[in-house]
Each structure stands twice: as C-alpha cells, then as structure tokens.
C-alpha cells in the first residue's frame, strides 16, 4: 500500500488502494474517506473510485513561513475543496491544524469535518485541556 509518511496521505493510483477501496465499498454499512493531498488529479481518482469522503491534507499550510506561500497553498486547498463539493463529495480537513489555519479555511470554504486531534493536544499543553477544547470548539463552530 502506498501511504506517505510525512502526512499520512495515500497515493490512489496504487493497485492495493484500489482493491481495498472496492472491498470496503462493496461491504454493507461502511463509508470510506481517503486522505489525499490537495491535488485535482487525486480528487478525480477518489471520485472515480466512488469514495464517500475525502480528507484534504493541510500539513503544507503549517510549513509555510511566508504570507505569500501560505496564500498560495491555501488557494490550492480551497480550490480542491470547492471542486470536491461541486461533485457532491463530503470534505474534511486535517493535518497540523492550528488557529491560523482553521480561521483561514473557515473564511473561504465550508467543510464537513475538521480533524483537530493534534491541534487540541498541542494547545492543551499550553493552556490546559479545558481551555484548548473550548477555543477549538469555538473556531470549528464558526465553520
């Protein structure tokens, strides 16, 4: 199976992934979400496989040090999300999320699910769990 270490996204063109997806989709009462890089080619492959949902990896946003770079990656992600939504795919986001990224994405697109696991853990080390949870809930509820 082809899973990228740095962001846990998959390469859909892998035969193993296609077999796994078909097995899951042929099972009753199971939905499937694939975590992919924000690339239209990967989105198209996920759509053609018939998946229920895509999780768009946002890790690259966290790595951007310049405002211009951040905006370029943000545009790539939002474009991918808009195309997915237009094609009736459920969309979630996740990967190195923080307040800045969640706020930026909330301002430009709607997503079904925001995965804040690591963001919650990191923030809770600074402000305490209860405070971190409240802050992230407020951010997510704005979406």
């Amino acid at each position: 199976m082809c899973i990228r270490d740095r962001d846990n996204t998959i390469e859909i063109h892998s035969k193993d992934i296609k077999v796994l997806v078909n097995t899951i989709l042929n099972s009753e009462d199971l939905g499937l979400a694939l975590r992919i890089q924000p690339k239209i080619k990967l989105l198209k492959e996920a759509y053609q496989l018939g998946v229920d949902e895509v999780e768009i990896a946002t890790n690259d946003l966290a790595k951007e040090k310049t405002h211009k770079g951040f905006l370029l990656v943000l545009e790539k992600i939002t474009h991918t999300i808009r195309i997915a939504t237009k094609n009736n795919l459920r969309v979630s986001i996740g990967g190195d999320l923080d307040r800045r990224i969640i706020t930026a994405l909330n301002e430009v697109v709607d997503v079904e699910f925001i995965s804040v696991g690591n963001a919650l853990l990191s923030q809770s080390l600074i402000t305490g769990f209860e405070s971190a949870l409240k802050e992230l809930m407020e951010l997510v509820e704005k979406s």
Side-chain angles (χ1 to χ4, degrees), residues 26-76:
N26 289 326
S27 302
E28 290 185 31
D29 300 324
L30 288 178
L32 179 65
L34 294 180
R35 181 174 165 79
I36 62 172
Q37 283 290 310
K39 296 178 182 176
I40 301 304
K41 179 181 183 253
L42 295 174
L43 184 62
K44 183 178 179 181
E45 290 176 6
Y47 177 81
Q48 289 172 337
L49 284 173
V51 299
D52 302 309
E53 179 178 342
V54 289
E55 179 176 318
I56 306 300
T58 56
N59 306 70
D60 290 344
L61 274 176
K63 295 175 187 158
E64 283 301 322
K65 302 297 182 210
T66 67
H67 183 67
K68 182 179 179 180
F70 183 86
L71 291 177
L72 288 171
V73 175
L74 180 64
E75 175 56 33
K76 185 177 182 180

Side-chain angles (χ1 to χ4, degrees), residues 12-23 45 49:
I12 296 174
H13 63 268
S14 163
K15 183 180 177 186
D16 293 337
I17 293 294
K18 290 178 180 177
V19 169
L20 178 62
V21 167
N22 285 328
T23 301
E45 290 176 6
L49 284 173

Side-chain angles (χ1 to χ4, degrees), residues 121-138:
L121 180 61
S122 299
Q123 188 64 23
S124 68
L125 292 173
I126 297 167
T127 63
F129 182 77
E130 200 169 313
S131 175
L133 181 60
K134 181 180 178 186
E135 180 181 336
L136 287 172
M137 289 291 292
E138 288 172 1

